[in-house]
């Protein structure tokens, strides 16, 4: 099932001519996201942000993939990880250090992982976390449109997921909705870490950062938002700003990104 | 900070009198803080016991945020976000000048980060930023309860409207240091408006509808988080003679409540939950994000109905609760219906009373028929024929030991079905009056006549619905 989705998605990608000439081939597990301008939820509304083209994992990282990582990197096992890098509930839903168990099916997204852990995982694979801008830019897409955020039905679907309780066991990543680039599960599966999760609205550990007040509490939230009716985006920004780097959350996973490598042959 | 400013201005202008008028020293003086305790928290409609200590203390409050699927109405569920598992959240009761050590725990299964803004807190955000808590975390801060009063608390995480719309609010009472006057019963009632993907009553698990929330067009306006949260067996219970205090909040997110209790006049209303009260109030406004304290003595018994007097909300959206006051009614305070006479603007013809469309459960035995008939009699007949069937001399004929009644059952049925006009002789006395056509069902007629025949020395005849139907058909 997963395989079939990937193949179709690749075909779709080629058909849309997203494979630019002059770049290295896109790895099969990733999709190319053409960059562009976008207006982030918070920021100067006269100053759209430029997002450069980048590669994004088609799927979030699964328990099976994460298990291989902790096998190879013992210091990231649950019993050994530093508390500075991952809080007590790191991989709390796994049965043991190397046994994900029934609460963490192999093909479900891995959750209860810290930002530090996600970074280490991706670094070992030559990847990185997407930036908040990259993630938000890519997440505007649905199956037909690169930017569906003007469609109230699209936002309502996302919001409906945010309003539902977490299932006790997360579903397989392959069941997630796929967008026109072949990127699946950006909405409706798990929250995802971004590289600068605390960059936009909170700086460092400063919970009393003044911009946080303006951005995220009560009606203040509406003042600096570019689209006060986009509740779905509000919730992602609010969620991210509640986090610190060693936090782990039962429905927070991640996926990888990579810069485009320009094909410079000597 | 605020109290100092007028004092400084007063000193600068050399007017000590003005300074004295600005702050009454007795209001701010208090005994030193002593000891510590854990706050008793209650779910609606219950209120923690009054605070009896005469000094401020260090109070520990722990609230757990959970996202739970609960009943909104029969057959309708909703994913509520709660402070402590219920809507509204736990009632918090502290004393003025208490130092509150507050911990907010966000359950690991939560999808959202949450926080709490307590309107009782003096300080930026009311605690919101100090308690911004990711799922599976807990945060702590402390505050001094400077101002007495009844205050709303709510989640203030963006988008705040949605967090409130999902039920994240409750009340915190800061008792003044002299305490509140003692009452017999205290209850906790909070109104909220809800925006569901389906219309009112549409069954199943309903999602939050953002469009309806933005348009401020709720499907549900309810007390304590659900339709029927305070009706039937959940009705608030009190007794005649008791004094009742309602702590009423309005979580909103959008609507202002015109809070009213049908059949009661509030003896005292601490407007907006503040320190002064207005007396003899019928309906009081409770703003979204605000509260009020209503007190009243139950001078008689019966059902008193809590409503938002923006009345379509009560009738069609659920904003209805019942306070059941038990005891023998005081008929001087309220007699109940004494008379229902036919009003005859057009002169004397038999009038029809609109029929009661509620289907009555069929009586299986004569005993059941008599029991049901007694109720019908009380509602339709007793006003004229009197509760004991004696009638009123020269006005309404007696039913007790009535020759007219006992000598012809079919005639009696006909009279109940179609009314009666003109002179009749009953037990030797002449009556010339009009009895209206009552519009009762066959079942109800058979019940009421069987009851009447079973009482007051009458024949004991059982009248069946079939007999009634026959008489009804004969006239057509």
């Amino acid at each position: 099932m997963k395989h079939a989705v990937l193949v179709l998605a690749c075909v779709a990608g080629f058909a849309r001519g997203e494979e630019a000439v002059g770049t290295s081939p896109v790895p099969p597990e990733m999709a190319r996201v053409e960059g562009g301008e976008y207006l982030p939820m918070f920021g100067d509304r006269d100053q759209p942000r430029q997002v450069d083209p980048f590669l994004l994992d088609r799927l979030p990282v699964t328990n099976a993939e994460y298990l291989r990582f902790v096998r190879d990197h013992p210091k990231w096992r649950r019993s050994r990880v530093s508390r500075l890098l991952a809080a007590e509930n790191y991989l709390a839903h796994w049965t043991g250090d190397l046994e994900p168990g029934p609460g963490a099916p192999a093909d479900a997204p891995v959750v209860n992982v810290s930002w530090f852990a996600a970074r280490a995982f991706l670094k070992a694979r030559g990847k990185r976390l997407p930036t908040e801008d990259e993630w938000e830019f890519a997440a505007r897409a649905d199956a037909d449109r690169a930017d569906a955020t003007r469609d109230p039905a699209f936002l309502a679907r996302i919001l409906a997921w945010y309003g539902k309780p977490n299932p006790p066991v997360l579903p397989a990543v392959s069941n997630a909705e796929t967008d026109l680039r072949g990127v699946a599960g950006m909405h409706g599966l798990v929250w995802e870490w971004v590289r600068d999760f605390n960059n936009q609205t909170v700086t460092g550990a400063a919970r009393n950062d003044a911009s946080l007040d303006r951005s995220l509490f009560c009606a203040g939230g509406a003042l600096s938002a570019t689209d006060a009716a986009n509740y779905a985006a509000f919730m992602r920004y609010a969620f991210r700003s509640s986090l610190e780097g060693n936090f782990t959350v039962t429905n927070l996973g991640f996926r990888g990104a990579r810069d485009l490598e320009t094909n410079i042959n000597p | 900070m605020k109290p100092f400013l007028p004092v400084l201005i007063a000193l600068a202008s050399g007017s000590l009198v003005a300074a004295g008028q600005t702050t009454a020293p007795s209001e701010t003086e208090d005994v030193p803080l002593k000891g510590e305790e854990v706050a008793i928290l209650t779910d609606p409609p219950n209120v923690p016991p009054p605070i009896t200590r005469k000094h401020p203390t260090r109070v520990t409050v722990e609230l757990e945020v959970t996202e739970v699927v609960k009943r909104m109405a029969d057959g309708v569920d909703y994913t509520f976000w709660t402070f402590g598992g219920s809507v509204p959240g736990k009632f918090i009761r502290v004393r003025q000048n208490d130092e509150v050590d507050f911990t907010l725990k966000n359950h690991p299964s939560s999808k959202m980060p949450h926080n709490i803004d307590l309107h009782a807190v003096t300080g930026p955000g009311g605690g919101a930023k100090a308690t911004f808590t990711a799922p599976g975390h807990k945060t702590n801060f402390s505050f001094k309860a400077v101002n007495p009063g009844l205050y709303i608390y709510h989640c203030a995480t963006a988008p705040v409207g949605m967090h409130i719309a999902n039920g994240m609010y409750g009340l915190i009472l800061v008792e003044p240091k002299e305490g509140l006057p003692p009452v017999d019963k205290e209850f906790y009632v909070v109104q909220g408006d809800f925006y569901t993907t389906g219309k009112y009553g549409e069954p199943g698990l309903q999602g939050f509808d953002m469009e309806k929330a933005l348009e401020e067009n709720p499907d549900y306006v309810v007390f304590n988080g659900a339709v029927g949260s305070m009706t039937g067996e959940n009705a608030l219970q009190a007794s005649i003679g008791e004094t009742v205090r309602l702590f009423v909040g309005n979580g909103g997110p959008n609507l202002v409540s015109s809070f009213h209790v049908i059949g009661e006049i509030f003896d005292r209303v601490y407007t907006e939950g503040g320190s002064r009260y207005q007396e003899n109030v019928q309906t009081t406004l409770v703003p979204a994000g605000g509260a009020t304290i209503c007190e009243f003595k139950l001078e008689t018994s019966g059902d008193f109905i809590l409503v938002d007097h923006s009345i379509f909300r009560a009738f069609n959206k659920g904003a209805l609760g019942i306070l059941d006051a038990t005891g023998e009614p005081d008929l001087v305070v309220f007699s109940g219906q004494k008379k229902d006479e036919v009003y005859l603007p057009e002169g004397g013809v038999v009038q029809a009373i609109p029929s009661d469309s509620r289907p009555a459960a069929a009586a299986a035995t004569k005993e059941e028929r008599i029991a049901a008939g007694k109720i019908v009699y009380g509602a339709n007949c007793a006003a004229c024929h009197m509760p004991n069937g004696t009638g009123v001399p020269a006005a309404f004929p007696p039913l007790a030991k009535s020759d007219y009644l006992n000598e012809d059952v079919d005639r009696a049925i006909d009279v109940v079905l179609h009314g009666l006009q003109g002179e009749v002789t009953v037990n030797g006395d002449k009556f010339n009056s009009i009895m209206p056509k009552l519009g009762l069902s066959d079942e109800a007629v058979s019940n009421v006549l069987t009851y009447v025949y079973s009482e007051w020395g009458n024949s004991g005849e059982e009248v069946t619905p079939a007999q009634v139907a026959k008489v009804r058909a004969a006239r057509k």
Side-chain angles (χ1 to χ4, degrees):
Chain A
M1 180 60 203
K2 178 173 163 186
H3 194 64
V5 169
L6 288 185
V7 170
L8 283 173
C10 290
V11 171
F14 281 114
R16 281 163 209 280
E18 285 207 353
E19 291 304 303
V21 180
T23 57
S24 59
V26 178
E29 84 281 8
M30 298 189 95
R32 179 182 163 115
V33 181
E34 288 302 335
E37 278 190 346
Y38 98 116
L39 210 51
M41 191 65 179
F42 293 96
D44 190 341
R45 65 190 72 194
D46 302 326
Q47 288 259 297
R49 212 103 45 125
Q50 181 65 39
V51 175
D52 292 333
F54 65 102
L55 301 181
L56 186 64
D57 276 350
R58 295 179 185 278
L59 296 168
V61 175
T62 63
N63 287 306
E65 290 167 319
Y66 203 78
L67 177 61
R68 282 200 292 281
F69 169 68
V70 293
R71 273 208 192 103
D72 297 345
H73 300 84
K75 77 166 187 163
W76 287 103
R77 290 176 194 174
R78 197 171 73 180
S79 62
R80 301 197 199 174
V81 74
S82 159
R83 281 288 159 264
L84 293 175
L85 302 179
E88 303 90 272
N89 40 7
Y90 173 70
L91 295 177
H93 63 308
W94 281 25
T95 311
D97 260 8
L98 298 172
E99 299 89 39
D107 54 357
V110 66
V111 291
N112 282 325
V113 285
S114 67
W115 179 79
F116 293 109
R119 278 206 333 168
F121 174 99
L122 292 170
K123 196 175 168 204
R125 300 189 160 204
K127 294 181 185 175
R128 59 171 174 80
L129 283 167
T131 64
E132 185 169 60
D133 280 343
E134 286 170 341
W135 199 97
E136 288 290 331
F137 183 86
R140 300 187 307 170
D142 70 0
D144 310 307
R145 297 163 289 191
D147 182 4
T149 57
R150 295 288 152 208
D151 177 2
F154 172 73
L155 298 179
R157 272 207 310 280
I158 299 172
L159 205 59
W161 175 69
Y162 292 165
K164 267 186 219 143
N166 293 318
V169 176
L170 290 165
V173 292
S174 55
N175 289 339
E177 270 185 56
T178 304
D179 73 8
L180 81 170
R181 302 184 183 102
V183 175
M186 295 291 276
H187 303 293
L189 194 57
V190 286
W191 301 106
E192 295 184 9
W193 282 108
V194 295
R195 189 167 71 180
D196 48 348
F197 67 94
N198 58 1
N199 196 38
Q200 293 264 343
T201 46
V202 199
T203 46
R207 287 291 193 86
N208 27 5
D209 184 290
S211 70
L212 178 65
D213 293 349
R214 274 207 316 280
S215 305
L216 288 169
F217 294 128
C218 220
L223 286 179
S224 50
T226 51
D227 181 2
N230 190 344
Y231 276 27
F234 255 128
M235 298 182 112
R236 290 194 296 274
Y237 282 87
F239 181 84
R240 288 177 199 131
S241 61
S242 77
L243 302 173
E244 292 184 19
N246 70 337
F247 280 21
T248 70
V249 177
T250 51
N251 59 357
L252 173 58
F254 68 101
R255 75 176 73 217
R258 187 182 280 170
D259 292 343
L260 278 190
E261 295 158 80
T262 315
N263 204 358
I264 310 166
N265 290 318
Chain B
M1 189 64 208
K2 219 161 62 184
F4 294 111
L5 200 56
V7 176
L8 287 175
I9 292 164
L11 286 174
S13 66
S15 166
L16 289 169
V17 177
Q21 283 172 345
T22 314
T23 43
S26 63
E27 279 182 24
T28 51
E29 276 174 13
D30 200 355
V31 297
L33 189 108
K34 198 164 70 180
E36 54 187 32
E37 64 182 47
V38 177
I40 299 167
L41 306 176
T42 58
D43 290 326
N46 301 313
V47 177
I51 290 168
T52 51
R53 61 188 150 75
K54 302 294 177 213
H55 58 86
T57 193
R58 198 163 276 115
V59 184
T60 303
V61 175
E62 288 203 1
L63 264 191
E64 183 189 47
V65 174
T66 53
E67 300 169 359
V68 291
V69 174
K70 291 186 80 169
R71 175 189 169 279
M72 168 89 80
D74 288 335
V76 183
D77 288 333
Y78 189 77
T79 306
F80 293 95
W81 297 351
T82 73
F83 286 107
S86 63
V87 177
K90 303 277 186 191
F91 194 105
I92 306 168
R93 188 169 198 155
V94 299
R95 180 191 181 275
Q96 186 178 7
N97 294 326
D98 277 353
E99 287 179 24
V100 183
D101 182 83
F102 196 100
T103 299
L104 189 72
K105 301 185 280 193
N106 190 1
H107 196 273
S109 68
S110 293
K111 197 166 245 168
M112 292 291 153
H114 297 289
N115 63 8
I116 191 167
D117 169 354
L118 299 122
H119 289 183
V121 168
T122 305
K129 71 177 179 181
T131 57
F132 192 35
T133 312
H137 280 253
K138 58 181 183 179
T139 54
N140 174 272
F141 81 116
S142 68
F143 67 94
K144 181 174 175 178
V146 177
N147 297 75
L150 182 64
Y151 300 93
I152 278 277
Y153 65 75
H154 64 89
C155 183
T157 302
V160 61
M162 183 171 173
H163 285 254
I164 293 176
N166 283 346
M168 297 199 76
Y169 43 77
L171 287 177
I172 174 169
L173 172 68
V174 181
E175 280 202 39
K177 57 189 193 310
E178 64 277 11
L180 291 172
V183 291
D184 299 303
K185 291 276 163 64
E186 292 182 328
F187 297 108
Y188 174 22
V189 178
V190 178
Q191 180 172 325
D193 27 301
F194 290 88
Y195 305 83
T196 51
T197 42
K199 284 192 168 67
Y200 179 90
E202 198 168 304
L205 178 61
Q206 295 295 322
F208 166 72
D209 189 310
M210 195 186 79
E211 292 301 318
K212 288 178 183 173
L214 291 179
E215 288 163 11
E216 307 192 7
N217 181 24
D219 300 278
Y220 293 87
V221 182
V222 297
F223 295 125
N224 291 354
V227 176
S229 66
M230 292 183 293
T231 59
E233 60 185 18
N234 301 322
L236 306 181
Q237 297 292 334
S239 306
I240 183 170
E242 289 189 322
T243 301
V244 173
R245 177 179 288 139
L246 300 179
F247 295 108
V248 184
N250 185 4
N254 287 321
L255 302 186
V256 170
S257 174
S258 300
F259 186 71
H260 176 78
V261 176
I262 298 175
E264 260 302 340
I265 296 147
F266 302 133
D267 300 330
R268 287 169 298 281
V269 171
Y270 292 79
T271 317
E272 293 159 7
S275 302
R276 301 194 191 286
Y277 58 78
Q278 171 66 291
E279 292 175 302
N280 304 320
V281 175
Q282 56 189 310
T283 300
T284 189
L285 281 177
V286 190
T292 192
I293 304 172
C294 303
E295 296 172 357
F296 49 93
K297 188 177 178 199
L298 291 165
E299 281 99 355
T300 188
S301 56
D303 281 350
F304 297 92
I305 302 172
L306 287 62
V307 295
D308 179 343
H309 214 295
S310 297
I311 206 70
F312 278 90
R313 300 173 189 167
F315 206 78
N316 299 90
K317 297 187 172 185
L320 201 122
I322 289 177
L323 170 68
D324 176 12
T326 56
E328 281 299 306
D330 183 332
L331 297 177
V332 174
V333 173
F334 184 73
S335 71
Q337 187 177 77
K338 282 179 155 173
K339 280 184 184 171
D340 179 352
E341 293 175 353
V342 178
Y343 162 58
L344 302 168
E346 307 297 335
V349 290
V350 172
Q351 303 287 304
I353 289 177
S355 66
D356 185 345
S357 59
R358 285 172 299 180
T365 64
K366 190 175 175 187
E367 285 66 38
E368 283 183 23
R369 202 171 290 297
I370 290 169
K374 186 176 182 182
I375 295 166
V376 178
Y377 185 84
N380 296 281
C381 320
C384 297
H385 294 290
M386 294 292 107
N388 53 4
T390 55
V392 176
F396 306 115
L399 302 179
K401 286 185 193 153
S402 163
D403 55 4
Y404 187 91
L405 181 77
N406 289 303
E407 68 196 26
D408 188 342
V409 174
D410 282 355
R411 182 174 65 189
I413 294 171
D414 188 73
V415 168
V416 176
L417 281 176
H418 302 110
L420 183 65
Q421 180 181 12
E423 189 178 287
V424 289
T425 304
V426 181
N427 295 351
D429 295 324
K430 283 191 167 48
F431 296 86
N432 193 348
S433 186
I434 296 174
M435 170 163 158
K437 182 177 172 175
L438 288 166
L440 297 172
S441 67
D442 292 355
E443 177 78 17
V445 171
S446 79
N447 292 346
V448 73
L449 280 172
T450 303
Y451 167 72
V452 169
Y453 279 119
S454 74
E455 290 284 327
W456 316 311
N458 290 330
S459 64
E461 188 87 29
E462 179 173 5
V463 178
T464 64
Q467 272 173 279
V468 178
K470 211 174 95 192
V471 174
R472 195 190 287 276
R475 272 271 194 138
K476 278 183 183 158

